Amino acid sequence: MAEQQRSILLVEDDPDHEALTIRALRKSNIVNDVAIARDGEEAVNMLLGPNPIKPQVILLDLKLPKLDGLEVLRRIRESDTTRTLPVVILTSSDEERDVVRSYSLGVNSYIRKPVNFSDFAEATRQLGMYWLVLNECPPKP
């Protein structure tokens, strides 16, 4: 099993949002490895396939091709090997049902993407600092 200590899995299908997220992380001096999955199926394969990665945190968009973010979250929580991985929904959805459904499936945090870059950069900086520096994750199984 491949270990990726303090890495991030970004699950994002929009190349502009992907670039903004990485730019915001780098601008905040968060230089951890960032693995990218561009659809839900790719994310599930990266986490549960034959060579699974174990990121420190998963930043998961909801609106994804092939499998949506909620289905990806459900599969993460069903597996003994990924059940305890921190998952942050990072989405533009302001639908209350998405918030409720995400928490019912066990998400650790739900963040609406701020519209302007400086607010987005600040939110990403705080996410990185909390999940990669301050948060203590459970031991890897």
Side-chain angles (χ1 to χ4, degrees):
M1 177 180 332
E3 286 291 328
Q4 293 194 357
Q5 296 296 327
R6 305 272 175 195
S7 65
I8 299 167
L9 174 59
L10 174 62
V11 187
E12 175 63 68
D13 66 318
D14 184 319
D16 292 334
H17 289 180
E18 174 190 326
L20 281 175
T21 302
I22 292 173
R23 182 174 163 211
L25 289 167
R26 301 304 181 237
K27 185 176 177 174
S28 301
N29 296 319
I30 297 169
V31 295
N32 302 63
D33 289 338
V34 179
I36 308 292
R38 293 186 174 88
D39 63 56
E41 190 176 279
E42 185 178 12
V44 168
N45 286 335
M46 290 172 80
L47 294 164
L48 299 169
N51 297 305
I53 64 170
K54 295 293 179 202
Q56 181 79 7
V57 63
I58 300 167
L59 304 180
L60 177 63
D61 193 11
L62 284 182
K63 296 179 177 26
L64 297 167
K66 297 185 181 176
L67 295 175
D68 69 20
L70 292 174
E71 179 61 19
V72 173
L73 178 60
R74 186 183 67 74
R75 292 186 186 194
I76 289 169
R77 293 301 184 238
E78 282 181 349
S79 171
D80 289 339
T81 61
T82 57
R83 179 173 292 128
T84 59
L85 288 177
V87 178
V88 176
I89 298 291
L90 186 59
T91 182
S92 56
S93 172
D94 59 358
E95 298 286 331
E96 184 177 316
R97 68 175 178 238
D98 286 339
V99 176
V100 170
R101 185 77 175 129
S102 295
Y103 279 107
S104 73
L105 289 170
V107 77
N108 298 92
S109 184
Y110 188 103
I111 297 176
R112 288 188 181 97
K113 293 176 184 171
V115 175
N116 72 55
F117 178 73
S118 65
D119 291 344
F120 184 80
E122 177 58 20
T124 304
R125 184 192 69 76
Q126 290 181 22
L127 271 173
M129 291 301 292
Y130 180 78
W131 290 105
L132 297 170
V133 177
L134 297 174
N135 185 53
E136 184 75 29
C137 286
K140 309 265 186 220

